[in-house]
Amino acid sequence: LSFGQEKVEWAYSFDSESSTIQIKATIDEGWHLYSQHIDNEIGPVPTSIVFEKNDEVVLVGKTIEPESLKEYDENFEGELNFFKDEVVFTQKIKLKNSTTLNGVVTFMVCNDTMCLPPTDIDFSIKINK
C-alpha cells in the first residue's frame, strides 16, 4: 500500500438509468486531488482514468468531472485546479452486454506542505445490462 492510497478512497459504480460509470474519490481532510485538466507545465500529475478496451462497452465522450477549485498551490507556485473532500468522475457509456470493465486511475495528492508520488490503482466495475 502506498501512502497515496491511504489519502484517497476510491469507489466505482454503474448507474444503469443514466448509463454512466461513477468513480468517486473520498479525500482525506487537508489533502487535495488534482483535476484531469491542469497545466502540466507547472508540475503535478493530473488525475487520469483509463478504461481498458472492452468490446461490450462503448465510451461516449470523455470522463467528466464537476467544477474544480482553482487556487494558488504553494507546492508548485501556480494556480491549479483540484478537489477537496470528495469528487465523482462520470463516464457515459453504451452497453452491449453485461460485462466487467477494467481500468486504471492515476492520481496525485498534496497537502499544504508536501505531495505524495503519483499512484496507479487498477479497478474493475461489474456492469449489468
Side-chain angles (χ1 to χ4, degrees):
L1 192 72
S2 79
F3 289 113
Q5 284 169 276
E6 293 171 9
K7 306 296 176 198
V8 182
E9 192 178 306
W10 294 91
Y12 313 93
S13 58
F14 174 64
D15 180 338
S16 54
E17 273 182 39
S18 60
S19 287
T20 56
I21 291 166
Q22 298 175 346
I23 299 179
K24 178 179 171 185
T26 305
I27 306 155
D28 277 7
E29 195 174 331
W31 292 85
H32 54 262
L33 173 76
Y34 289 100
S35 162
Q36 299 176 97
H37 315 292
I38 54 175
D39 184 351
N40 272 5
E41 309 273 310
I42 299 178
V45 173
T47 298
S48 73
I49 298 165
V50 177
F51 296 97
E52 276 179 20
K53 188 162 165 36
N54 183 321
D55 292 338
E56 305 302 341
V57 177
V58 179
L59 301 179
V60 179
K62 294 189 159 108
T63 304
I64 297 168
E65 63 182 45
E67 186 77 32
S68 56
L69 301 166
K70 183 164 191 172
E71 290 175 18
Y72 182 81
D73 187 317
E74 292 189 3
N75 294 299
F76 297 101
E77 299 176 352
E79 293 258 313
L80 288 169
N81 296 76
F82 56 83
F83 300 100
K84 290 179 176 170
D85 304 322
E86 67 172 52
V87 55
V88 179
F89 298 94
T90 54
Q91 173 67 60
K92 198 156 178 56
I93 63 166
K94 284 195 180 123
L95 184 62
K96 297 176 188 169
N97 292 296
S98 297
T99 186
T100 298
L101 184 61
N102 297 314
V104 180
V105 177
T106 301
F107 68 99
M108 182 171 170
V109 289
C110 298
N111 64 14
D112 292 342
T113 55
M114 64 179 285
C115 294
L116 299 176
T119 304
D120 292 333
I121 294 193
D122 296 325
F123 62 83
S124 64
I125 306 166
K126 285 192 170 28
I127 304 175
N128 295 318
K129 184 95 173 133

